[in-house]
Amino acid sequence: AVVSTQSTGYFIQINLRMTYAPDSLFDSLHHQMVLYFETAHGPDQVVQCMEKLGYRVGFSLIEKATKDEARVKEDDLWNMLFRKQADNLKTNHTGTFVIQDNRFRFLTRVSQSEQYKQRGELYVAFTCGVVKGALANFGLPCSVTAEIDMSPTVKVTLTLQQPPI
């Protein structure tokens, strides 16, 4: 399967046939994954299941992206996932990076009240796993955490376990 992005959705090429998948389909799939893991594994295991799934997706995504290109830039991953650049990228030059997205797509439909702030953690776990898996494929093991101050703004913090030489 070959995936390319356009301005209003994702195009997936399977067996020389183009199929159009709008953004809302990806959002709906993500929401259904959260609900499925919540039902199948209980509320305590949702974050762990979503991170594991995201890790596999991120690892595979980089394998496919680097198959034709020798290099993928740091900001390309966010663009591949959400078809937009992150709003802010900061580093302390010692192996810690903070990515800020002011309109994180999986939180735009989640309520901004305090009772749903915890629920927002379920919707960023997949992305944390994707980032962690992608960097693992590059040989950069790291820890990834997400912080939601006010929905839909999210800050994803990456801390490399061994800073590159």
Side-chain angles (χ1 to χ4, degrees):
V2 177
V3 178
S4 63
T5 58
Q6 297 294 324
S7 62
T8 58
Y10 292 87
F11 285 96
I12 303 169
Q13 182 180 356
I14 302 172
N15 297 332
L16 303 176
R17 193 179 83 224
M18 285 297 242
T19 305
Y20 176 72
D23 290 342
S24 60
L25 181 62
F26 184 57
D27 294 345
S28 179
L29 174 64
H30 183 270
H31 179 69
Q32 290 301 316
M33 288 187 313
V34 169
L35 295 178
Y36 168 77
F37 286 129
E38 206 167 28
T39 304
H41 301 287
D44 299 340
Q45 297 295 315
V46 177
V47 171
Q48 185 180 19
C49 291
M50 291 294 286
E51 282 182 0
K52 284 181 181 179
L53 181 62
Y55 184 93
R56 290 191 306 237
V57 168
F59 198 90
S60 298
L61 184 66
I62 294 302
E63 281 181 348
K64 293 187 185 310
T66 58
K67 186 176 182 180
D68 297 326
E69 293 183 36
R71 188 178 100 116
V72 173
K73 291 184 269 179
E74 302 83 22
D75 56 350
D76 286 345
L77 179 63
W78 205 262
N79 198 22
M80 278 191 273
L81 288 174
F82 304 112
R83 296 183 319 102
K84 69 178 211 110
Q85 296 296 318
D87 294 308
N88 199 353
L89 174 63
K90 295 179 182 177
T91 181
N92 65 359
H93 301 289
T94 61
T96 301
F97 302 86
V98 178
I99 301 169
Q100 181 173 329
D101 190 338
N102 295 331
R103 287 203 36 87
F104 187 66
R105 77 179 301 150
F106 298 137
L107 292 178
T108 55
R109 292 182 182 90
V110 175
S111 173
Q112 295 182 12
S113 68
E114 279 300 314
Q115 76 182 53
Y116 290 102
K117 194 171 184 179
Q118 259 187 336
R119 191 137 179 90
E121 179 183 326
L122 306 177
Y123 290 90
V124 296
F126 178 77
T127 302
C128 289
V130 169
V131 171
K132 191 173 184 176
L135 291 175
N137 194 333
F138 284 126
L140 299 170
C142 65
S143 65
V144 181
T145 59
E147 178 185 334
I148 304 166
D149 288 330
M150 167 146 328
S151 185
T153 300
V154 67
K155 290 182 183 178
V156 178
T157 304
L158 309 119
T159 306
L160 299 177
Q161 291 177 358
Q162 297 177 354
I165 298 174

